[in-house]
Amino acid sequence: MIAALAISQRLDAPRIASAINTISRAQETSPPFFEDVVIDQNFSPDPFIVRGMSGGSVPGREIARRRETPTGTCTGYFDEEPDHTIELTSKFDYLKIEVRSPEDTTLIIRGPGGSWCNDDFDGKNPGMIGEWLPGTYYVWIGSFKKDRYFPYTLRITQIK
């Protein structure tokens, strides 16, 4: 039995090495997961993409500290802590931040000047476009329904 196990382990070694190499290559090409971002003018790559999982149990109005903002109603459910922080090192005359997910997600951003909420910017995907002041922005990605968690990508771009 021990000899059979040793032979089995030797036969699996190439497959394990192959799997590790595949994971390493995927990590090099896949957007980071729950990463914080520092952006200056003319950042690259554009769009800059990070990933995460939406959702939580805290109502959006508690995170945003209001029920509605000029960019939309503060709907959905979120984790208490932000999913990302985005530090803008300078003023942006135009910046677009949007979430892409196969399910219904919502967005809250708190930063210089207040809180902004959005749901259904593009279909069921939230987003925001506009002029952005320099500073740190806290970003929460929620799910429309409580305690539902979905994968997403957060895209940040200067391209109109």
Side-chain angles (χ1 to χ4, degrees):
M1 182 71 163
I2 294 173
L5 181 59
I7 291 169
S8 173
Q9 287 175 341
R10 279 191 302 228
L11 292 175
D12 286 342
R15 278 188 265 170
I16 292 168
S18 175
I20 291 170
N21 289 336
T22 301
I23 291 167
S24 295
R25 282 193 302 276
Q27 288 173 343
E28 291 172 10
T29 59
S30 295
F33 206 75
F34 289 120
E35 185 168 308
D36 295 332
V37 180
V38 177
I39 296 179
D40 56 11
Q41 290 290 330
N42 303 315
F43 61 88
S44 179
D46 188 353
F48 190 87
I49 299 173
V50 293
R51 301 176 303 144
M53 292 293 285
S54 69
S57 60
V58 180
R61 68 183 177 277
E62 290 181 23
I63 300 290
R65 302 178 186 147
R66 55 193 348 186
R67 292 187 182 277
E68 190 155 336
T69 67
T71 54
T73 305
C74 302
T75 61
Y77 294 88
F78 303 81
D79 287 328
E80 282 187 44
E81 297 298 317
D83 297 301
H84 309 276
T85 59
I86 301 173
E87 183 181 335
L88 302 180
T89 61
S90 60
K91 180 179 180 274
F92 284 79
D93 292 329
Y94 176 88
L95 194 66
K96 178 178 174 182
I97 296 177
E98 69 180 320
V99 177
R100 293 189 180 174
S101 175
E103 299 293 333
D104 194 2
T105 53
T106 59
L107 172 66
I108 295 176
I109 299 177
R110 267 195 343 226
S115 296
W116 299 273
C117 301
N118 190 261
D119 180 30
D120 302 339
F121 172 78
D122 181 16
K124 291 185 175 186
N125 291 311
M128 294 181 201
I129 295 176
E131 186 176 310
W132 297 72
L133 298 172
T136 302
Y137 293 83
Y138 300 94
V139 179
W140 287 263
I141 313 298
S143 297
F144 193 72
K145 294 182 179 177
K146 187 176 183 176
D147 295 323
R148 299 293 306 269
Y149 300 89
F150 304 110
Y152 67 82
T153 57
L154 179 67
R155 296 170 44 90
I156 305 166
T157 184
Q158 294 183 94
I159 301 169
K160 293 183 180 183

